[in-house]
Amino acid sequence: MQPRLMVLLGVVAVAALLPLAGAAAGPVGDGDAKSPPSTPSTAPSAPPTPSPSASRAPSLLAGLGVATAARCGPELSSPDGVEAQTCVLRQGHDTWARTYYRNATGEQLAAVLTVMGPAGRTVQMHCAVGTEDEPAACETPRERSAGAAAEYSAVAEFAAGDSGSLLLRSGSNSAAPQGS
């Protein structure tokens, strides 16, 4: 065979096999996640806009993985321009709380997120809520579960930064878990 023909056949073979190699390797990232994983950090991350409707529930849980269960309260809003939805999350032996929020007040707010468990166990997180009118989140640290998921609840309280007056209280008071 001619060297030129052999090179051409080699290029065709590589071009034909390259898409197959990528498909066999699968997506990059957490294989358990239904969508791209969120970057773990102590700072709030920008989640999808929360929504209490069942049709939006999968987008709410984006990045949590298929083994994470969430029990979320309704999306609430205050006349002052704060919107929030608070959830208790459970994955494996860990339980924690997360609140999704949006601050349209134009002022910096203070928020406290509390997850309460059996036997009086409580974990609180103080969250600085910036003036940006963008969806964001705050979550407590993950703690080893000490009881059934139904024994946990969470509350987020948003207050005006200057006066400290309560603007919104959001809880994880829904009855049925979302996701599994």
Side-chain angles (χ1 to χ4, degrees):
M1 269 195 185
Q2 294 179 345
R4 186 185 285 179
L5 182 58
M6 290 192 58
V7 170
L8 182 59
L9 288 175
V11 170
V12 170
V14 169
L17 293 177
L18 193 57
L20 294 175
V28 176
D30 183 6
D32 290 339
K34 290 182 178 176
S35 59
S38 59
T39 304
S41 71
T42 56
S45 60
T49 304
S51 173
S53 69
S55 63
R56 296 284 306 267
S59 67
L60 175 71
L61 303 175
L64 291 177
V66 294
T68 302
R71 197 174 71 251
C72 300
E75 180 181 345
L76 301 174
S77 60
S78 74
D80 301 300
V82 181
E83 299 174 6
Q85 183 177 32
T86 302
C87 304
V88 171
L89 305 167
R90 189 170 201 147
Q91 185 176 50
H93 297 289
D94 293 333
T95 301
W96 70 102
R98 181 181 293 168
T99 187
Y100 299 94
Y101 64 86
R102 183 170 166 245
N103 176 14
T105 66
E107 300 177 28
Q108 186 138 3
L109 304 179
V112 177
L113 174 60
T114 306
V115 61
M116 297 154 287
R121 292 171 54 117
T122 302
V123 176
Q124 280 190 334
M125 185 69 171
H126 293 266
C127 312
V129 179
T131 59
E132 305 84 30
D133 185 9
E134 295 294 325
C138 175
E139 66 182 43
T140 64
R142 295 176 184 212
E143 297 285 328
R144 185 148 180 98
S145 302
E151 296 179 84
Y152 284 85
S153 62
V155 173
E157 296 177 315
F158 294 84
D162 54 353
S163 68
S165 60
L166 184 65
L167 300 176
L168 181 68
R169 180 177 290 135
S170 170
S172 63
N173 55 352
S174 72
Q178 299 172 358
S180 56

